[in-house]
Amino acid sequence: MADSSFDIVSKLDRQEVDNALGQAAREVATRFDFKGTGASIEWQGEQAIEITASADDRATAVLDVFKDKLVKRQQSLKILDASDPRASGQQSKISITLKEGITSEDAKKISKLIRDEGPKGVKAQVQGDELRVSSKKRDDLQAVQALVKAQDYDFAVQFTNYR
């Protein structure tokens, strides 16, 4: 019997993030407490978002609205790398970078965890920005998924290509 396998990846659903951003922008435009603050949220290129407001606390409030919309769309908040509010003339800005992919150091950490604490006979291979885990027994793979989910990494983790 062939080995069963799955991939551990860190990807974001760009469409869901875009939808969350659109909803947050509409809410910011219509909410009473944002009137007259010049608050806005918009894309800055492919992997960056910028929040602009008249004060630091308003910019932070817009970030909270955006995070709330992401959570409602089942997107992990670990994909966000938000800067602290910074003054830019009369405005306060927050830059957000979207994180995607597993770095080689993180892949090595997960691989070591699987080797040390996972079931015997489970193999983990780094393949670019993802990790392929394979084993003869599907039960072992499910145990590895539970083990990886239990860890608190600083990046979002999804499991794909389960076969």
Side-chain angles (χ1 to χ4, degrees):
M1 189 172 121
D3 282 4
S4 298
S5 68
F6 68 89
D7 295 336
I8 299 175
V9 297
S10 179
K11 295 199 183 319
L12 57 94
D13 187 342
R14 181 141 174 90
Q15 187 61 52
E16 290 294 343
V17 173
D18 191 43
N19 291 343
L21 186 122
Q23 285 181 332
R26 278 193 300 282
E27 184 170 325
V28 166
T30 57
R31 259 180 50 180
F32 180 76
D33 55 334
F34 288 119
K35 292 272 190 246
T37 62
S40 68
I41 181 169
E42 58 202 19
W43 284 106
Q44 292 294 116
E46 282 291 306
Q47 296 290 322
I49 297 169
E50 188 166 79
I51 296 173
T52 308
S54 60
D56 287 356
D57 63 326
R58 291 291 89 203
T60 306
V62 173
L63 178 61
D64 291 341
V65 168
F66 180 55
K67 285 180 178 179
D68 184 47
K69 299 300 179 193
L70 281 174
V71 168
K72 285 184 179 167
R73 295 189 156 276
Q74 281 90 40
Q75 296 298 305
S76 172
L77 295 180
K78 294 178 181 180
I79 64 172
L80 300 180
D81 186 17
S83 68
D84 290 329
R86 66 183 191 287
S88 175
Q90 297 289 320
Q91 302 273 302
S92 180
K93 296 186 176 197
I94 297 177
S95 298
I96 302 171
T97 309
L98 300 175
K99 297 187 290 187
E100 191 169 30
I102 299 175
T103 64
S104 59
E105 300 91 49
D106 291 333
K108 287 177 187 168
K109 269 194 256 179
I110 296 173
S111 181
K112 183 175 177 355
L113 172 79
I114 292 170
R115 246 191 339 268
D116 294 347
E117 298 181 29
K120 298 283 181 249
V122 175
K123 296 185 289 290
Q125 304 171 285
V126 178
Q127 296 182 332
D129 63 350
E130 57 187 44
L131 195 70
R132 164 96 16 109
V133 180
S134 57
S135 172
K136 292 205 181 299
K137 298 182 195 163
R138 286 183 171 240
D139 291 346
D140 289 350
L141 292 180
Q142 290 176 340
V144 168
Q145 283 184 350
L147 179 68
V148 172
K149 276 183 191 171
Q151 303 300 311
D152 187 29
Y153 294 113
D154 59 348
F155 54 92
V157 176
Q158 295 95 21
F159 305 106
T160 60
N161 294 338
Y162 190 82
R163 41 185 113 129

